[in-house]
Amino acid sequence: NNQRAYFFNFSSKNVCDVVVGKLKQACRNHLGSTVNRFFGPIMKRMEKTGATETWKQRQISNFEYLMILNTVAGRTYNDLSQYPIFPWIVSDYTSKSIDLNDPQMYRDLSKPVGALDEN
């Protein structure tokens, strides 16, 4: 509980995977209870909506599903600090029209937004 952060620089991805696996195993019980305490009520509310299954069956749009997720999580238009969150997936915001079938129109989802190169 010393509130310290640590940075690790591993020699390879394999070493990183092994260490992360060991850390996850060592912390599973503690983190599991913390995650359940925090996300449990939200997950239960989400299950009650049936939205995930409805979305998986393509009966509601991605937008509708994200709105339900935001609402269940307590996000609202009434408070700017709690405004709904939507993922940034499109990479071209300057063209007058875009082809949604073109893979180049979408950002690289394997990287966080902060790691994207503008070039």
Side-chain angles (χ1 to χ4, degrees):
N1 257 350
N2 63 16
Q3 301 296 312
R4 292 183 185 173
Y6 297 91
F7 176 77
F8 297 93
N9 186 11
F10 298 104
S11 59
S12 71
K13 182 176 181 337
N14 289 340
V15 172
C16 178
D17 290 343
V18 169
V19 172
V20 168
K22 298 282 185 189
L23 286 171
K24 283 181 180 179
Q25 186 177 1
C27 297
R28 188 164 285 130
N29 289 338
H30 175 70
L31 289 177
S33 64
T34 301
V35 167
N36 285 335
R37 190 170 47 248
F38 182 76
F39 289 110
I42 294 171
M43 292 169 63
K44 285 181 183 175
R45 283 189 304 232
M46 193 62 195
E47 285 174 16
K48 285 182 183 178
T49 69
T52 301
E53 283 305 313
T54 305
W55 173 72
K56 285 167 57 176
Q57 295 169 7
R58 297 177 182 240
Q59 295 174 351
I60 60 174
S61 69
N62 290 343
F63 176 80
E64 290 170 305
Y65 182 65
L66 289 171
M67 284 302 296
I68 293 167
L69 282 174
N70 276 288
T71 302
V72 167
R75 311 229 29 115
T76 175
Y77 288 108
N78 299 327
D79 179 354
L80 287 178
S81 68
Q82 295 296 317
Y83 221 67
I85 298 171
F86 293 91
W88 173 38
I89 59 168
V90 178
S91 65
D92 182 354
Y93 289 94
T94 58
S95 299
K96 290 191 182 240
S97 66
I98 59 173
D99 177 5
L100 295 177
N101 294 316
D102 180 2
Q104 297 299 313
M105 289 294 115
Y106 300 95
R107 78 169 181 89
D108 182 355
L109 296 174
S110 69
K111 300 176 184 174
V113 172
L116 296 176
D117 185 12
E118 291 186 21
N119 299 326

